[in-house]
Coordinates of all heavy atoms in Angstrom, one line a residue:
Chain C
E178 N 45.4 177.2 75.8 CA 45.8 177.1 74.4 C 45.4 175.8 73.8 O 46.2 175.2 73.0 CB 47.2 177.4 74.2 CG 47.5 178.8 74.6 CD 49.0 179.3 74.3 OE1 49.6 178.7 73.4 OE2 49.5 180.1 75.0
G182 N 45.5 175.7 66.0 CA 46.8 176.1 65.5 C 47.9 176.0 66.5 O 49.2 176.2 66.2
V183 N 47.6 175.5 67.7 CA 48.6 175.3 68.7 C 49.0 173.9 68.9 O 50.1 173.4 68.7 CB 48.3 176.0 70.2 CG1 49.4 175.6 71.2 CG2 48.0 177.5 70.0
M184 N 48.0 173.1 69.2 CA 48.2 171.7 69.5 C 47.1 170.8 68.7 O 47.1 169.6 68.9 CB 48.0 171.3 70.9 CG 46.9 172.0 71.7 SD 45.2 171.6 71.1 CE 45.1 169.9 71.8
L187 N 46.1 172.1 63.0 CA 46.8 173.1 62.3 C 48.1 173.6 63.1 O 48.7 174.5 62.7 CB 46.0 174.3 62.0 CG 44.7 174.1 61.2 CD1 43.8 175.4 61.2 CD2 45.0 173.7 59.8
S188 N 48.5 172.7 64.0 CA 49.7 173.0 64.8 C 50.9 173.1 64.0 O 51.1 172.3 63.1 CB 49.8 171.9 66.0 OG 51.0 172.1 66.6
Q189 N 51.7 174.0 64.3 CA 53.1 174.2 63.6 C 54.2 173.5 64.6 O 55.4 173.7 64.3 CB 53.4 175.7 63.5 CG 52.3 176.4 62.7 CD 52.3 175.7 61.1 OE1 53.3 175.7 60.5 NE2 51.1 175.1 60.9
L190 N 53.8 172.9 65.7 CA 54.7 172.3 66.6 C 54.4 170.8 66.6 O 53.7 170.3 67.6 CB 54.6 172.9 68.0 CG 54.9 174.3 68.1 CD1 54.3 175.1 69.3 CD2 56.4 174.6 68.0
L193 N 54.6 168.8 69.9 CA 53.6 169.1 70.8 C 52.3 168.5 70.4 O 51.5 168.0 71.3 CB 53.6 170.6 70.9 CG 52.5 171.3 71.9 CD1 52.8 170.7 73.3 CD2 52.3 172.7 71.9
A223 N 45.7 182.1 73.0 CA 46.6 183.0 72.3 C 46.3 183.4 71.0 O 45.9 182.5 70.2 CB 48.1 182.4 72.4
Q225 N 46.6 186.5 67.7 CA 47.4 187.6 67.0 C 46.4 188.4 66.3 O 45.5 187.9 65.7 CB 48.5 187.1 66.2 CG 49.5 186.3 66.8 CD 50.4 185.6 65.9 OE1 50.3 185.8 64.7 NE2 51.3 184.8 66.3
N233 N 54.3 190.0 71.3 CA 55.7 190.1 71.7 C 56.6 189.7 70.6 O 56.2 188.9 69.8 CB 55.9 189.1 72.9 CG 55.2 189.6 74.2 OD1 54.0 189.8 74.2 ND2 56.1 189.7 75.3
A236 N 61.3 187.0 72.4 CA 61.8 185.6 72.8 C 61.7 184.8 71.5 O 60.9 185.1 70.7 CB 61.0 185.0 73.9
R237 N 62.7 183.8 71.5 CA 62.8 182.9 70.3 C 61.4 182.3 69.9 O 61.1 182.1 68.7 CB 63.8 181.9 70.6 CG 65.1 182.0 69.7 CD 66.2 181.0 70.1 NE 65.7 179.7 69.8 CZ 66.4 178.7 70.2 NH1 67.4 178.7 71.0 NH2 66.0 177.5 69.9
L238 N 60.7 181.9 71.0 CA 59.4 181.2 70.7 C 58.5 182.1 69.9 O 57.9 181.6 69.0 CB 58.7 181.0 72.1 CG 57.4 180.3 72.1 CD1 57.5 178.9 71.6 CD2 56.8 180.3 73.6
F239 N 58.5 183.3 70.1 CA 57.7 184.3 69.3 C 58.2 184.4 67.9 O 57.4 184.5 66.9 CB 57.5 185.6 70.0 CG 57.0 185.7 71.5 CD1 57.8 186.1 72.4 CD2 55.8 185.2 71.7 CE1 57.4 186.1 73.8 CE2 55.3 185.2 73.0 CZ 56.1 185.7 74.1
Q240 N 59.4 184.5 67.8 CA 60.1 184.5 66.5 C 59.8 183.3 65.7 O 59.5 183.5 64.5 CB 61.6 184.9 66.7 CG 61.8 186.3 67.3 CD 63.1 186.4 68.0 OE1 63.9 185.5 68.0 NE2 63.3 187.6 68.6
Y241 N 59.8 182.2 66.3 CA 59.6 181.0 65.6 C 58.2 180.9 65.1 O 57.8 180.6 64.0 CB 59.8 179.8 66.5 CG 59.4 178.4 65.9 CD1 60.2 177.7 65.1 CD2 58.1 177.9 66.2 CE1 59.9 176.5 64.5 CE2 57.7 176.7 65.6 CZ 58.6 176.0 64.7 OH 58.2 174.9 64.2
M242 N 57.2 181.3 66.0 CA 55.8 181.3 65.6 C 55.5 182.3 64.5 O 54.6 182.0 63.7 CB 54.9 181.6 66.9 CG 55.0 180.6 68.0 SD 54.6 178.8 67.5 CE 52.7 179.1 67.5
A243 N 56.2 183.4 64.5 CA 55.9 184.4 63.5 C 56.3 184.0 62.1 O 55.8 184.5 61.2 CB 56.8 185.7 63.9
K244 N 57.3 182.9 62.1 CA 57.7 182.5 60.8 C 56.9 181.3 60.2 O 57.1 181.0 59.0 CB 59.2 182.1 60.9 CG 60.2 183.2 60.9 CD 61.6 182.7 61.1 CE 62.5 183.8 61.7 NZ 63.5 183.1 62.5
T245 N 56.1 180.7 61.0 CA 55.4 179.6 60.6 C 54.3 180.0 59.6 O 53.8 181.2 59.7 CB 54.7 178.7 61.7 OG1 53.8 179.7 62.4 CG2 55.8 178.3 62.7
P246 N 53.8 179.1 58.7 CA 52.7 179.5 57.7 C 51.5 179.7 58.4 O 50.6 180.5 57.9 CB 52.7 178.3 56.7 CG 53.3 177.1 57.5 CD 54.4 177.7 58.4
V247 N 51.1 179.1 59.5 CA 49.8 179.3 60.1 C 50.0 180.1 61.4 O 50.7 179.8 62.3 CB 49.2 177.9 60.6 CG1 48.0 178.1 61.4 CG2 49.0 176.9 59.4
R248 N 49.4 181.2 61.4 CA 49.4 182.2 62.5 C 48.0 182.2 63.2 O 47.0 181.8 62.6 CB 49.8 183.6 62.1 CG 51.2 183.6 61.6 CD 51.7 184.9 61.0 NE 51.5 185.9 61.8 CZ 50.8 187.1 61.5 NH1 50.2 187.2 60.4 NH2 50.7 188.0 62.4
L249 N 48.1 182.5 64.5 CA 46.9 182.5 65.3 C 46.1 183.7 65.2 O 45.7 184.4 66.2 CB 47.2 182.2 66.7 CG 48.1 180.9 67.0 CD1 48.6 180.9 68.5 CD2 47.2 179.6 66.8

Side-chain angles (χ1 to χ4, degrees):
Chain C
E178 294 183 30
V183 179
M184 44 59 75
L187 302 173
S188 171
Q189 301 300 300
L190 299 160
L193 179 63
Q225 296 168 5
N233 286 61
R237 252 176 62 193
L238 182 63
F239 303 117
Q240 290 154 6
Y241 174 84
M242 296 302 283
K244 283 181 207 148
T245 61
V247 174
R248 291 169 60 234
L249 301 172

